[in-house]
Amino acid sequence: MSREARLGLLVARYGSYLFLFMSHAVGRRRLPMDRLELLAVLLLGLVGLTALVRRPLTRPQKVGLIAVELALTFAAGFLIPESAFFLLYFIALVDIFFCFPLGQAIAVMTLAYALLGINIASVWAPWSAAYIQTMGSILLGFIFTAAAVHFAVEQRKAREQAEHLLKELGAAHAQLQAYAVEVETLSVARERQRLAREVHDAVAHVLTGLLVQTQAIRKLLRTEPAAAAARLVTIEDAARRGLDEVRRAVRAMRPEHLEGVGGVEAMQRLCEQFAERTGMRVSFLTDTNRPLAPAQDVLLYRTLQECLTNAARHGRASTVWAQLSTKDDRIELRVRDDGVGGQDVRPGMGMGGMQERAQAAGGQFRYATAPNAGFETVLELPHTGVQAAAG
């Protein structure tokens, strides 16, 4: 109910009380002083109850409040039986529908109507024509008033609920904005990390091959200049491919070797080219014929690429064995070399990136090594559900 409507009800209520008192304090309806004083006490009691009706009350408090109001109204009806005392019942009817839900309010309204009938019976004989006509008219007024008040109460509830939902929506919107800022920050950080891994995978692999070939050319320059010149052409070609890889990584695209070919074929080609550039023996075996998702292609290819690079750069290996196999619902890539191995291995960006991407894909990444025992890396992925692993 709006503020204007509440103010209108209060004016009507207090105006009715004042009208009843003044009409019996002066004029032809004047009451004896003792009855007038008693009427004033009853009306003041009803005025005091008005302040309580609009406050949040418990169910027992509401029952007690309406009981007192009906009792005061019923008593006032016997003090002024010859006047329009039933106005007090209409005021009580408004309070009844404000305090109780519809079913209970109708029951209390029935009780108030019965009390009103008792008051009117003191003026007209029960079941007389005047009595029946008066009760019938008041019943119609009760029904109309009850419907109007119930409609107003439902409107108030609907507005309060709308205001509550609006506040919740505002809070949810503010929280969503905070989440959006947080997600944007995390996305930027994740994208930077992803680009760093892509650049590392592309550049480290190419530079390792260039380093190995440069060392070989240094030895060939003195003894076989022609072979050294041929190696320089290979280095130039590898450098161009590395530059293209970096550009593709910055554009967040798939690796060049995966463009237009399947993941298994691309890994086979990677091993052959790496062996050709470095002079290492690289064996690649596979028993899987299942199609790989694009995310799997990138993750498996980058892991194999990193393992080959580490075997040449850190392990100083001469042979690398790589095997891609399918076990039940999982895909396993196992890469082993005969390098120098190590005791305490601290994963760098390459190994750390592989581990992060494996976890993001719902897989597992592990490695094993020992001094002079080579290095073995194992990547296991679920055959499905790794579409997000490419990032």
Side-chain angles (χ1 to χ4, degrees):
M1 185 178 296
S2 64
R3 181 178 179 181
E4 292 77 9
R6 290 196 299 269
L7 181 60
L9 284 177
L10 288 176
V11 171
R13 177 190 293 264
Y14 294 140
S16 299
Y17 294 155
L18 182 61
F19 168 77
L20 288 176
F21 179 79
M22 295 303 298
S23 63
H24 293 86
V26 295
R28 63 184 184 86
R29 295 181 178 180
R30 182 181 304 176
L31 293 174
M33 186 57 63
D34 56 341
R35 296 181 64 181
L36 184 63
E37 291 176 352
L38 181 57
L39 177 62
V41 171
L42 295 176
L43 293 177
L44 287 174
L46 292 173
V47 170
L49 292 177
T50 302
L52 300 177
V53 173
R54 300 295 180 264
R55 294 183 180 181
L57 301 174
T58 63
R59 179 179 175 80
Q61 289 175 334
K62 291 179 180 178
V63 172
L65 177 69
I66 297 301
V68 172
E69 184 173 4
L70 288 178
L72 294 176
T73 301
F74 184 70
F78 284 109
L79 285 176
I80 47 177
E82 72 282 359
S83 64
F85 63 88
F86 54 82
L87 289 176
L88 298 177
Y89 280 95
F90 281 95
I91 295 174
L93 187 62
V94 174
D95 294 338
I96 289 170
F97 276 85
F98 268 108
C99 290
F100 299 107
L102 181 60
Q104 297 176 8
I106 292 175
V108 179
M109 181 184 73
T110 303
L111 173 62
Y113 186 73
L115 294 176
L116 176 61
I118 297 174
N119 284 140
I120 294 180
S122 64
V123 181
W124 291 290
W127 312 119
S128 64
Y131 180 85
I132 294 175
Q133 183 180 2
T134 303
M135 292 298 294
S137 300
I138 293 176
L139 177 60
L140 293 177
F142 264 40
I143 294 175
F144 177 79
T145 303
V149 175
H150 176 67
F151 177 73
V153 170
E154 291 300 315
Q155 274 194 325
R156 184 189 66 175
K157 291 180 179 178
R159 187 181 66 256
E160 290 176 351
Q161 184 177 11
E163 292 175 352
H164 178 70
L165 292 176
L166 185 61
K167 291 181 180 179
E168 289 186 346
L169 183 61
H173 179 67
Q175 189 176 22
L176 184 61
Q177 285 185 321
Y179 285 159
V181 173
E182 184 178 357
V183 168
E184 182 179 2
T185 302
L186 293 176
S187 298
V188 171
R190 183 176 180 181
E191 181 66 11
R192 288 176 178 174
Q193 189 176 23
R194 185 187 68 81
L195 289 176
R197 290 199 305 260
E198 291 292 330
V199 172
H200 171 270
D201 291 343
V203 175
H205 179 75
V206 173
L207 291 182
T208 299
L210 293 177
L211 179 61
V212 172
Q213 293 195 60
T214 302
Q215 293 172 344
I217 290 174
R218 183 185 301 171
K219 298 178 182 178
L220 292 174
L221 282 175
R222 298 177 183 176
T223 57
E224 301 180 42
R231 287 291 185 96
L232 286 174
V233 175
T234 304
I235 289 179
E236 183 180 358
D237 182 62
R240 287 197 182 97
R241 286 199 301 271
L243 181 60
D244 291 339
E245 284 279 356
V246 172
R247 288 171 177 169
R248 291 179 183 274
V250 171
R251 296 184 190 130
M253 297 179 63
R254 287 159 50 87
E256 177 188 10
H257 294 85
L258 292 179
E259 297 292 342
V261 298
V264 175
E265 183 180 350
M267 286 187 281
Q268 179 70 53
R269 184 183 300 177
L270 173 67
C271 293
E272 294 173 356
Q273 293 176 347
F274 190 80
E276 180 182 350
R277 289 199 304 266
T278 61
M280 296 172 57
R281 293 186 298 274
V282 181
S283 171
F284 180 78
L285 300 175
T286 181
D287 63 0
T288 180
N289 55 5
R290 296 186 183 182
L292 301 177
Q296 292 174 318
D297 285 348
V298 175
L299 183 52
L300 292 169
Y301 182 90
R302 288 304 193 192
T303 301
L304 176 60
Q305 188 179 54
E306 180 67 21
C307 291
L308 293 176
T309 300
N310 289 340
R313 184 171 56 181
H314 302 298
R316 299 193 293 276
S318 60
T319 306
V320 179
W321 298 271
Q323 182 176 5
L324 181 66
S325 59
T326 302
K327 296 182 176 180
D328 297 329
D329 60 343
R330 300 185 71 80
I331 298 174
E332 179 185 275
L333 175 64
R334 187 179 296 269
V335 183
R336 181 171 57 88
D337 64 57
D338 63 351
V340 297
Q343 184 66 40
D344 297 324
V345 178
R346 296 181 179 179
M349 180 176 291
M351 297 284 289
M354 286 189 289
Q355 188 169 15
E356 290 176 3
R357 283 187 281 190
Q359 292 175 350
Q364 297 180 353
F365 177 83
R366 62 182 184 274
Y367 57 86
T369 184
N372 301 317
F375 200 96
E376 182 179 57
T377 302
V378 179
L379 171 65
E380 290 185 356
L381 297 174
H383 199 272
T384 58
V386 293
Q387 298 298 328

